[in-house]
Amino acid sequence: MIYADVVIDITSGELDRSFSYRVPAEWEEKIGVGMTVTVPFGKGNRPRRGYVTGLSDKTDYEEQRVKSILTVDSSAETTEANLLKVAAWIRETYGSTVIRSLRTVFPVREKMKIREKKRIVLKADPEEAEQLLGELQKGRGKARARLLGAVLESEEKEIDYAYASKELGTTDSVLRYFRENGILLVDSEESYRLPFRIEDIPQEKPALLNDEQKAAVSEIRSEWDGDQSRPVLIHGVTGSGKTEVYMTLIQDMLDRGKQVIVLIPEISLTYQTVRRFVGRFGSKVSILNSRLSRGERYDRFVQAKKGEISVMVGPRSALFTPFTNLGLIIIDEEHEAAYKSESTPRYHARETAVFRAELEGAHVVLGSATPSLEAYSRALSGEYRLVRLTERHEGRPLPDVYVTDLREELKKGNRSILSRRLRDEMEDRLGKHEQIMLFLNRRGYAGFVSCRECGHVIKCPHCDVSLSQHMGGRLVCHYCGYETQAPKVCPECGSSYISGFKAGTQQAEQVISKFFPEARILRMDSDTTRTKGSYEAILSSFAAHEADILIGTQMIVKGHDFPAVTLVGILAADLSLNASDFRSAERTFQLLTQAVGRAGRGVRTGSAVLQTYCPSHYSIQTAARQDYEAFYREEMAYRSLMDYPPAAHLLVVHASCQNEEKLTQGMYYAARFCTKLSAAYQIRTIGPAPEQISKVKDMYRQALYLKGKDDAALKTLRKHLEDYIAINPGFRDIYMQYDHY
Ligand code: ADP
Ligand code: ZN
Ligand code: ZN
């Protein structure tokens, strides 16, 4: 006897589970995961359509009460069957509910009524918004905090306008506040579209590949022709022409009648990038972005399924484009954090792409100048094929990088945000009418405390990550929960210049216009990009040399190509280094390398000035030398020592609850449960500890960390924990999410 798990209707979140049905004997041979079936449902046994999500030879329910499947649609298309397997794999790998995984993979056609509703949408960088949320929670802006918290918590980073005003008490003045600081945006359909028309983009002839690019392409083709066809990682320095290589590979696929998915981080989906793909492949290309309404996204997916388009370019969710003859998935800037979903299921696009490609006999190509440690370690072990691009096109040199020590500047009495070196270099470039980009690294900046005299940062003695400052001056570790009072003087050098680091792009702009009153300055941050199209407008104005200096946050470092930029200044390289996250050194190295890589992409050689309080840190040193290999070795040693991924596996159990006491108690028992089992599985339980943002939308948040070398053991432990939580009434009001690294 065979039983099938059937999910009834994925358009409603209510039936968040699968049901067990008996498979009639005549179907036993033919039925498969992913097929559409009709089953009797509910008291009246009304026939309903459902998806088969699993098959087994036993059922957890009383045999007599299990109903039989009525009909099986064996013609169910393989695309859907494959995507369903992807959903099942996501659920299995990352931990989630059936419905949520299905809804991640299958875009649901919403009713027109819903499409026209007004929505409140996140406009700013999520990390920047989270930081503001932390500040709002400390102050009196309760209604503001409630709204921002709700948006950040939501899966799509947007919530319904009517819901906000009814349930969250969002008033016009709250909305005005967020509109003015550019964090949120109220909108209906209109602003979800790209700020330019694809039809207006002129066609372009393919570029002639240089020798190194040709070699890369033929290496990749030979990998594809081999019997293994592993995922390929292209490690190419900034400006080496990875995009040209991608386009040649895409053409290969189109020639064979196959389809291609190209994932690009949302922030790099600018006119420049879109233009290159559309210019080359014309109307075969479709662009997805998260600003599309669900209806529009659905329509594009329908076009893809019908074969009206062959190349889908878009962020993470484009991975689920229902192409029927998928040949290749490209993931550009593979290291980007945006490829990991921040809401349940917390899938990673890279891992999911490899799974989908295997299922459909497609290839995967990853590219980055600064590969993630995960991808690079796999490339070194032979699980991926490594292909290198070591030179910029036409042998243009990488920029010269100067590191300046801000502690020394302070000692010499220079308290401004510009070191002497950077000021001199700027003066020189302005004199030559060349362009300058100034980058203020605020990513992941999370209220760490450091000394301006000696650069010392207060860290957790157990986890080697920075402590974050909380209310009343307490410093907290977000991994293990360790707490201490913020010191009044630096424990290293006794200086009283010890405090949280504060810096903004606006302040930077003021200072710089004082130093260089003649210079034309553009600023790009969440303030200046709040209106529709303003992001594009700033970029194109700078590209047209209508300004000499562009100051901005991480927004400006992503993939832009400004040939006249010959100087990049990084105002405070360390800010992201001190995020309380085990990946902070990796993120810093990536950001700095990418930022430095903006300089000298044209005919003139570029240089970069990197200002820092810790010039000897390996992230800074290796980024200054543009030496990925050296960085990788140092960072892997650290990960191995601390048992952080990819040296070990990590499962984060996120829990939230309205009742703090209940949460604390629940997490205490969850931790105890894990600790008991962990010895047998060789897993270490750390925490529970309050999360970075310890309260959102009146929900308290805590996390528990489980580290282990054996991924399967960690997954088994997760399942035991899931079962334990499901039957234990103490967890009833606690919302659990799992995050697998
Ligand atoms: P990456 O993505 O590796 O940073 P890009 O693909 O953006 O590099 O290429 C960097 C610059 O060099 C772009 O302006 C691109 O047009 C140019 N370029 C790269 N390869 C070629 C080529 N084979 N022929 C002409 N221009 C090229
Ligand atoms: Zn000090
Ligand atoms: Zn700690």
Side-chain angles (χ1 to χ4, degrees):
M1 192 66 82
I2 297 187
Y3 296 92
D5 298 324
V6 176
V7 167
I8 303 299
D9 181 3
I10 66 161
T11 57
S12 98
E14 290 148 39
L15 304 176
D16 202 356
R17 50 167 293 199
S18 59
F19 295 84
S20 193
Y21 283 91
R22 191 175 292 120
V23 179
E26 73 256 41
W27 290 107
E28 279 188 6
E29 297 284 301
K30 288 178 198 145
I31 197 160
V33 169
M35 285 184 181
T36 314
V37 292
T38 314
V39 293
F41 189 72
K43 288 216 182 69
N45 280 333
R46 279 207 358 231
R48 295 276 298 268
R49 264 163 64 89
Y51 278 115
V52 179
T53 58
L55 292 166
S56 74
D57 51 13
K58 55 182 198 296
T59 175
D60 296 339
Y61 301 90
E62 259 179 77
E63 301 262 349
Q64 298 89 323
R65 302 186 59 188
V66 175
K67 302 169 191 172
S68 276
I69 289 175
L70 299 175
T71 62
V72 177
D73 182 0
S74 61
S75 71
E77 292 180 57
T78 50
T79 322
E80 250 106 56
N82 284 334
L83 284 172
L84 203 73
K85 283 182 199 147
V86 172
W89 178 84
I90 285 180
R91 172 174 145 66
E92 185 69 21
T93 309
Y94 299 100
S96 169
T97 58
V98 178
I99 298 283
R100 269 175 177 269
S101 317
L102 288 173
R103 285 171 65 105
T104 301
V105 167
F106 294 107
V108 174
R109 178 65 148 161
E110 302 274 322
K111 295 182 187 69
M112 289 308 274
K113 207 169 66 212
I114 295 171
R115 277 179 74 177
E116 279 155 17
K117 270 188 188 167
K118 270 207 282 187
R119 275 164 300 194
I120 301 170
V121 183
L122 181 67
K123 176 95 201 321
D125 187 86
E127 293 192 36
E128 207 168 310
E130 296 239 342
Q131 188 191 336
L132 173 65
L133 179 62
E135 284 162 22
L136 288 174
Q137 281 166 344
K138 284 180 212 153
R140 278 176 294 142
K142 290 280 174 267
R144 293 172 182 179
R146 265 201 308 277
L147 174 63
L148 186 55
V151 173
L152 285 172
E153 277 285 274
S154 69
E155 199 162 345
E156 324 239 63
K157 301 280 178 272
E158 64 177 55
I159 61 168
D160 194 52
Y161 179 87
Y163 168 81
S165 57
K166 233 184 281 153
E167 305 289 327
L168 306 176
T170 301
T171 57
D172 283 348
S173 91
V174 170
L175 285 173
R176 199 172 328 119
Y177 166 79
F178 284 116
R179 196 164 46 239
E180 278 164 12
N181 65 13
I183 300 286
L184 301 176
L185 163 108
V186 181
D187 242 314
S188 42
E189 298 283 285
E190 243 333 85
S191 65
Y192 287 77
R193 303 212 167 86
L194 292 164
F196 45 83
R197 281 160 45 94
I198 285 193
E199 301 78 47
D200 295 341
I201 295 174
Q203 290 301 294
E204 274 168 34
K205 278 204 209 92
L208 286 176
L209 294 187
N210 62 39
D211 290 345
E212 205 180 30
Q213 291 164 345
K214 271 189 215 152
V217 167
S218 69
E219 249 188 273
I220 294 169
R221 282 181 185 146
S222 77
E223 178 70 28
W224 289 355
D225 292 339
D227 36 41
Q228 248 192 317
S229 188
R230 296 165 290 176
V232 172
L233 171 65
I234 304 179
H235 177 209
V237 298
T238 52
S240 56
K242 291 182 287 294
T243 313
E244 299 298 334
V245 172
Y246 301 151
M247 290 200 286
T248 308
L249 300 173
I250 295 171
Q251 189 61 56
D252 272 11
M253 287 296 152
L254 297 183
D255 292 345
R256 293 192 223 164
K258 300 233 171 198
Q259 298 141 345
V260 184
I261 294 169
V262 184
L263 301 189
I264 287 182
E266 180 91 40
I267 197 148
S268 311
L269 263 178
T270 56
Y271 178 69
Q272 254 190 357
T273 338
V274 171
R275 184 194 165 119
R276 287 177 78 178
F277 285 97
V278 175
R280 178 81 179 262
F281 303 110
S283 60
K284 292 194 191 76
V285 181
S286 184
I287 312 288
L288 273 190
N289 68 0
S290 65
R291 295 288 179 238
L292 292 172
S293 70
R294 288 193 195 183
E296 283 174 304
R297 183 185 309 230
Y298 182 88
D299 293 344
R300 309 246 155 129
F301 274 15
V302 170
Q303 281 185 310
K305 205 173 150 188
K306 282 192 197 147
E308 291 168 7
I309 52 171
S310 312
V311 182
M312 183 66 92
V313 180
R316 195 176 64 220
S317 59
L319 181 57
F320 305 115
T321 306
F323 281 133
T324 52
N325 194 11
L326 181 67
L328 172 62
I329 303 171
I330 292 170
I331 305 184
D332 189 31
E333 308 287 359
E334 157 282 327
H335 62 275
E336 274 295 319
Y339 286 127
K340 185 159 184 350
S341 166
E342 279 167 21
S343 53
T344 301
R346 296 181 177 226
Y347 70 95
H348 197 296
R350 186 198 322 113
E351 315 303 320
T352 313
V354 170
F355 180 80
R356 180 175 178 191
E358 214 166 81
L359 212 56
E360 303 185 24
H363 305 292
V364 175
V365 169
L366 313 168
S368 175
T370 52
S372 64
L373 265 77
E374 282 78 6
Y376 202 72
S377 62
R378 284 183 203 152
L380 291 185
S381 76
E383 191 180 331
Y384 294 173
R385 168 79 172 247
L386 184 60
V387 172
R388 292 180 208 273
L389 294 172
T390 57
E391 285 187 351
R392 284 186 163 182
H393 183 58
E394 289 178 337
R396 283 167 202 156
L398 285 164
D400 299 321
V401 185
Y402 308 100
V403 177
T404 64
D405 186 342
L406 288 172
R407 297 170 305 181
E408 290 297 317
E409 297 287 323
L410 189 70
K411 269 191 205 141
K412 287 181 191 143
N414 175 11
R415 291 201 191 166
S416 94
I417 56 165
L418 296 183
S419 60
R420 286 257 25 133
R421 175 96 213 195
L422 184 53
R423 231 157 72 199
D424 291 348
E425 295 276 334
M426 287 176 72
E427 210 166 299
D428 174 72
R429 296 321 131 93
L430 290 171
K432 292 184 196 153
H433 297 286
E434 294 174 1
Q435 283 184 300
I436 301 166
M437 284 170 93
L438 294 181
F439 167 51
L440 190 67
N441 183 1
R442 283 169 52 111
R443 162 138 286 173
Y445 162 66
F448 67 91
V449 168
S450 69
C451 170
R452 288 192 63 188
E453 295 248 19
C454 77
H456 179 72
V457 174
I458 312 291
K459 289 191 166 182
C460 173
H462 311 293
C463 307
D464 202 32
V465 297
S466 313
L467 297 174
S468 303
Q469 193 155 29
H470 276 228
M471 258 180 289
R474 282 182 311 128
L475 298 179
V476 181
C477 170
H478 293 292
Y479 287 133
C480 70
Y482 171 84
E483 263 192 51
T484 181
Q485 276 299 316
K488 300 255 180 325
V489 294
C490 171
E492 279 298 302
C493 73
S495 160
S496 54
Y497 278 111
I498 184 155
S499 65
F501 194 104
K502 288 186 192 67
T505 40
Q506 206 166 353
Q507 282 158 279
E509 183 183 11
Q510 281 163 6
V511 173
I512 286 150
S513 60
K514 244 185 239 140
F515 276 126
F516 305 106
E518 310 279 280
R520 297 163 302 166
I521 304 176
L522 276 174
R523 174 162 62 93
M524 180 139 98
D525 54 24
S526 53
D527 276 347
T528 61
T529 54
R530 62 170 170 250
T531 56
K532 187 184 160 194
S534 52
Y535 179 68
E536 291 292 343
I538 294 171
L539 291 177
S540 59
S541 164
F542 191 61
H545 212 145
E546 289 162 13
D548 307 297
I549 303 174
L550 175 62
I551 305 175
T553 54
Q554 48 270 17
M555 278 183 190
I556 67 171
V557 304
K558 298 292 161 63
H560 309 301
D561 203 13
F562 301 112
V565 170
T566 55
L567 174 65
V568 167
I570 294 153
L571 296 179
D574 333 39
L575 284 191
S576 63
L577 199 52
N578 297 308
S580 53
D581 178 337
F582 72 88
R583 285 189 148 94
S584 58
E586 184 181 2
R587 295 266 178 266
T588 303
F589 175 80
Q590 289 162 349
L591 272 170
L592 296 181
T593 309
Q594 302 279 352
V596 166
R598 292 311 109 204
R601 292 166 76 92
V603 282
R604 278 163 297 194
T605 306
S607 52
V609 177
L610 216 153
Q611 307 191 140
T612 173
Y613 288 101
C614 40
S616 59
H617 192 282
Y618 62 88
S619 284
I620 310 274
Q621 291 270 324
T622 54
R625 298 199 308 267
Q626 303 267 292
D627 185 350
Y628 178 81
E629 304 285 331
F631 169 75
Y632 176 82
R633 281 194 302 275
E634 292 269 4
E635 184 64 9
M636 264 318 251
Y638 161 73
R639 302 281 175 96
S640 305
L641 188 71
M642 299 300 294
D643 270 344
Y644 284 128
H649 291 277
L650 177 67
L651 171 68
V652 188
V653 183
H654 298 278
S656 54
C657 182
Q658 230 149 22
N659 182 328
E660 191 173 19
E661 219 169 297
K662 212 166 178 181
L663 177 65
T664 305
Q665 195 161 56
M667 287 302 265
Y668 166 79
Y669 282 109
R672 212 177 64 165
F673 177 83
C674 293
T675 312
K676 264 196 209 147
L677 289 187
S678 31
Y681 288 109
Q682 306 221 318
I683 287 166
R684 217 145 61 87
T685 308
I686 300 150
E691 302 241 29
Q692 183 93 42
I693 296 167
S694 55
K695 195 178 167 192
V696 173
K697 216 164 101 186
D698 291 326
M699 300 275 271
Y700 292 89
R701 313 196 320 159
Q702 292 190 7
L704 188 65
Y705 294 82
L706 303 169
K707 283 184 199 171
K709 294 269 185 225
D710 180 358
D711 195 30
L714 212 49
K715 287 202 173 93
T716 311
L717 181 60
R718 187 195 80 215
K719 278 184 198 138
H720 287 313
L721 181 64
E722 279 177 313
D723 291 344
Y724 173 72
I725 285 168
I727 56 165
N728 204 313
F731 291 96
R732 202 162 287 156
D733 300 321
I734 304 180
Y735 178 57
M736 305 296 263
Q737 285 185 297
Y738 300 91
D739 201 350
H740 239 290
Y741 290 91

